[in-house]
Amino acid sequence: KTSQLSGDSQVLYEKLRASLHASGKELAKRGFQPNSEKEEGKKSRFYATKADNEDEFSFVSESDFTKAAAASSMGRLLPVEESPYGDGDDTGQCLSMHQPWASLLVHGFKRAEGRAWRTEHRGRLWIHAAGKVPEDEEIELLEQTYRSIYEAQGVPLPPMPSQSSGYPTSVLLGCVDLEACWTNSEYAQMLKSNSALPQEDNDNEYIFWCLRPRRLGVPL
């Protein structure tokens, strides 16, 4: 389950907080200012390194998901600054995932993460890549699956992880915003009601709906 970081992970997490806050202070000294008071109230530790951590799909507009119908609010692709969860909301919740699923999630290709248990957590969720090295065949199969999902909706695709940062293991990759936890039947109904969304299959008992992925410039 999602849980508070502990032991070595907690030390790593605190170092990350200190490092990224220091980056923010340095940018402030150089005259960096948020675009608006609204954005300033929502800023997170990621705002100082947006160029490295920007959602790969940030250039995709809602109209890319649907031509005839209005885009669903469930499918909005928000830039990093628009996350409603700031540092003050971060409780250090972290989910460990096997590769290649972990990188596909923080790169923005994957949104529905399945589990056998429910969570009440909402907000920033850190994503850790477990130590198992993925097989090349598994990577190829999953990348082709997600490529087909998005191409079926006419969504232009950025490079897959295998073409950019790869699939590192035993590292903290970044975070997402966990916006909902549905039963499988609720998730299936959501997809049915929002046919313009990429139809990502998942047969787990509960589905975590993860939006606004932010990658660390350097996995830790």
Side-chain angles (χ1 to χ4, degrees), residues 186-202 209:
E186 289 171 337
Y187 173 65
Q189 182 59 45
M190 186 279 292
L191 288 182
K192 184 177 180 181
S193 301
N194 295 273
S195 59
L197 286 179
Q199 302 292 296
E200 183 180 351
D201 290 332
N202 199 303
W209 188 239

Side-chain angles (χ1 to χ4, degrees), residues 15 57 61 78 93 138-139 164 178 180 211:
K15 287 182 178 179
F57 283 93
S61 67
L78 300 176
Q93 300 290 316
E138 190 172 39
I139 291 173
S164 53
L178 176 54
L211 302 179

Side-chain angles (χ1 to χ4, degrees), residues 10-158:
Q10 181 64 41
V11 173
L12 182 62
Y13 175 69
E14 293 301 332
K15 287 182 178 179
L16 172 65
R17 288 177 66 94
S19 175
L20 292 179
H21 280 304
S23 296
K25 290 181 180 179
E26 181 62 27
L27 283 178
K29 290 179 182 179
R30 298 176 187 176
F32 174 89
Q33 294 294 333
N35 291 334
S36 68
E37 292 181 2
K38 180 179 179 181
E39 287 182 354
E40 185 171 5
K42 293 180 178 179
K43 68 183 181 181
S44 74
R45 66 176 58 91
F46 291 90
Y47 80 96
T49 53
K50 179 185 175 187
D52 290 330
N53 302 304
E54 188 172 357
D55 177 359
E56 291 280 16
F57 283 93
S58 60
F59 70 90
V60 181
S61 67
E62 292 178 37
S63 62
D64 288 314
F65 281 104
T66 176
K67 299 296 186 290
S72 165
S73 61
M74 289 292 186
R76 287 194 67 201
L77 295 170
L78 300 176
V80 171
E81 302 95 302
E82 291 194 40
S83 171
Y85 308 105
D87 287 347
D89 304 310
D90 187 355
T91 58
Q93 300 290 316
C94 184
L95 186 68
S96 187
M97 300 173 59
H98 288 299
Q99 291 286 29
W101 293 274
S103 285
L104 288 169
L105 185 66
V106 298
H107 277 254
F109 294 96
K110 179 177 173 62
R111 293 184 173 193
E113 170 59 14
R115 284 292 186 271
W117 42 271
R118 180 190 294 275
T119 181
E120 299 300 323
H121 175 67
R122 300 293 183 269
R124 188 177 296 172
L125 179 64
W126 293 89
I127 303 300
H128 171 264
K132 182 181 178 181
V133 178
E135 298 289 338
D136 290 341
E137 294 78 8
E138 190 172 39
I139 291 173
E140 183 177 355
L141 176 61
L142 278 173
E143 287 195 347
Q144 183 55 50
T145 296
Y146 279 95
R147 189 177 290 111
S148 298
I149 288 173
Y150 283 93
E151 287 178 348
Q153 300 294 338
V155 177
L157 287 176

Side-chain angles (χ1 to χ4, degrees), residues 167-184:
Y167 293 93
T169 56
S170 300
V171 291
L172 191 67
L173 297 174
C175 72
V176 294
D177 288 342
L178 176 54
E179 290 287 17
C181 178
W182 293 309
T183 63
N184 192 279

